[in-house]
Amino acid sequence: MPPTSAKSETPDLAAGIAYWEALPPTLDTVLGGLAASSLPLVDALSSRQLLFAEFPELHTFPTPHHPFNPPPVLPTPESRALEVGAGIGRVTSNVLLYMFTYVDMVEPVESFLRTAIAESSSWKGIKEERKGVRFIKAPLQDTTLFSVPSSGDARVLASVGKNPPEDQIGYDAIWCQWCLGHLSTKDLVTFLQQAKRSLRTMGCIFIKENVCANEEDGSAREVYDAQDSTVTRSGSSWMRAFVSAGLMLIRDEEQLGFAADLYDVRMYVLQ
Ligand SMILES: C[S@@+](CC[C@H](N)C(=O)[O-])C[C@H]1O[C@@H](n2cnc3c(N)ncnc32)[C@H](O)[C@@H]1O
């Protein structure tokens, strides 16, 4: 998204959701008018590369039984990802379903979710029931976001493809892209603490967000955008939130290949 004017203010959650509710549920909307550029492809390929770097075994998950690699005594649980602030399912369909068996896609704007549901029969592995997606209507500040029951929850608008097993909890990956600016720093830290608690062993939180420059002395800076009621955080601001949430940063990469007039985008991997 292009940079806009700076002012020190706190995001208003309701105003942020209202901003998106007023827009058509399209790729151009969630990408700020950049759907026809190279950005969607470059973005998706970098995200897949990042996931492979973190989980090299994912393309064969659960691990097939090689003669030198006997079957585990206990069955390996199938991989699960959660995407929050997921819009029309751009990342779920182009990235996460290429890696994970089950994806829970969480988004507060119903028209975005309905568009995703309508398009999901063409998503990878859905028609063949090799993969499964649940579409959950909820905001980031929903404290029960990370413990959605498998059935009977009114927030689950639809479930397509393979049904997730009832007995499996926790996520291998929690993907947050271009949506955490809707949270104040206090809400962001609470969100990250809850996300951390819902990770499986070796699971990771992936954050892909715009980043502005720090203050001249290197301290944290936040740039408020009144249009969508978000803040863009500087590197130091992100680090401060990660430390407050008790998270360990295990990877920090710059997204390359986006247009020079956009904010820098960084990919953080945390545990
Ligand atoms: C720029 S779009 C990005 C969508 C998606 N992450 C992507 O990369 O394609 C921002 C998304 O954040 C969602 N959003 C806004 N406020 C939110 C909130 N409080 N909780 C969860 N999502 C929110 C919007 O509805 C919208 O889908």
Side-chain angles (χ1 to χ4, degrees), residues 1 12-21 27 29-32 43 83-91 106-109 112 138-142 175-180 182-183 208 228 230:
M1 310 311 100
D12 175 328
L13 287 163
I17 294 174
Y19 169 82
W20 293 103
E21 276 174 339
L27 189 61
T29 291
V30 295
L31 290 180
D43 175 59
E83 190 195 356
V84 296
I88 58 166
R90 188 183 66 85
V91 179
V106 177
E107 162 62 42
V109 175
F112 287 6
L140 294 162
Q141 63 274 22
D142 182 342
W175 194 274
C176 321
Q177 181 162 359
W178 286 326
C179 61
L180 295 183
H182 282 284
L183 294 178
K208 191 162 181 178
D228 58 359
T230 55

Side-chain angles (χ1 to χ4, degrees), residues 113-178:
L113 277 172
R114 295 281 171 209
T115 298
I117 292 165
E119 291 174 358
S120 62
S121 61
S122 65
W123 291 359
K124 192 173 176 62
I126 296 300
K127 228 185 277 168
E128 309 87 322
E129 301 207 345
R130 284 188 296 104
K131 312 260 176 175
V133 179
R134 286 187 298 195
F135 299 88
I136 300 158
K137 187 180 172 193
L140 294 162
Q141 63 274 22
D142 182 342
T143 51
T144 58
L145 189 67
F146 301 101
S147 57
V148 176
S150 302
S151 56
D153 188 318
R155 293 169 305 161
V156 181
L157 298 192
S159 182
V160 297
K162 185 174 174 172
N163 281 327
E166 297 269 338
D167 60 341
Q168 286 181 19
I169 53 164
Y171 295 101
D172 299 294
I174 296 175
W175 194 274
C176 321
Q177 181 162 359
W178 286 326

Side-chain angles (χ1 to χ4, degrees), residues 20-230:
W20 293 103
E21 276 174 339
L23 295 174
T26 65
L27 189 61
D28 224 26
T29 291
V30 295
L31 290 180
L34 296 170
S37 72
S38 61
L39 183 141
L41 185 62
V42 173
D43 175 59
L45 292 179
S46 307
S47 298
R48 287 192 211 176
Q49 260 178 337
L50 182 76
L51 280 162
F52 272 138
E54 220 44 68
F55 302 120
E57 73 285 8
L58 261 185
H59 61 296
T60 53
F61 200 108
T63 316
H65 303 140
H66 188 272
F68 301 130
N69 181 15
V73 179
L74 294 172
T76 315
E78 291 181 289
S79 55
R80 280 167 41 95
L82 169 71
E83 190 195 356
V84 296
I88 58 166
R90 188 183 66 85
V91 179
T92 287
S93 59
N94 293 310
V95 179
L96 300 176
L97 280 175
Y98 282 78
M99 312 279 166
F100 299 94
T101 308
Y102 303 108
V103 182
D104 283 341
M105 200 194 118
V106 177
E107 162 62 42
V109 175
E110 187 157 337
S111 63
F112 287 6
L113 277 172
R114 295 281 171 209
T115 298
I117 292 165
E119 291 174 358
S120 62
S121 61
S122 65
W123 291 359
K124 192 173 176 62
I126 296 300
K127 228 185 277 168
E128 309 87 322
E129 301 207 345
R130 284 188 296 104
K131 312 260 176 175
V133 179
R134 286 187 298 195
F135 299 88
I136 300 158
K137 187 180 172 193
L140 294 162
Q141 63 274 22
D142 182 342
T143 51
T144 58
L145 189 67
F146 301 101
S147 57
V148 176
S150 302
S151 56
D153 188 318
R155 293 169 305 161
V156 181
L157 298 192
S159 182
V160 297
K162 185 174 174 172
N163 281 327
E166 297 269 338
D167 60 341
Q168 286 181 19
I169 53 164
Y171 295 101
D172 299 294
I174 296 175
W175 194 274
C176 321
Q177 181 162 359
W178 286 326
C179 61
L180 295 183
H182 282 284
L183 294 178
S184 67
T185 300
K186 184 170 165 283
D187 289 343
L188 173 65
V189 171
T190 305
F191 169 86
L192 292 174
Q193 286 167 334
Q194 289 174 334
K196 183 185 174 198
R197 281 198 289 273
S198 76
L199 290 176
R200 283 174 164 172
T201 315
M202 305 307 288
C204 298
I205 300 168
F206 294 81
I207 293 179
K208 191 162 181 178
E209 291 284 349
N210 292 349
V211 172
C212 64
N214 286 323
E215 299 291 355
E216 267 176 33
D217 64 0
S219 61
R221 178 164 163 254
E222 279 120 39
V223 177
Y224 180 71
D225 185 340
Q227 194 189 12
D228 58 359
S229 195
T230 55

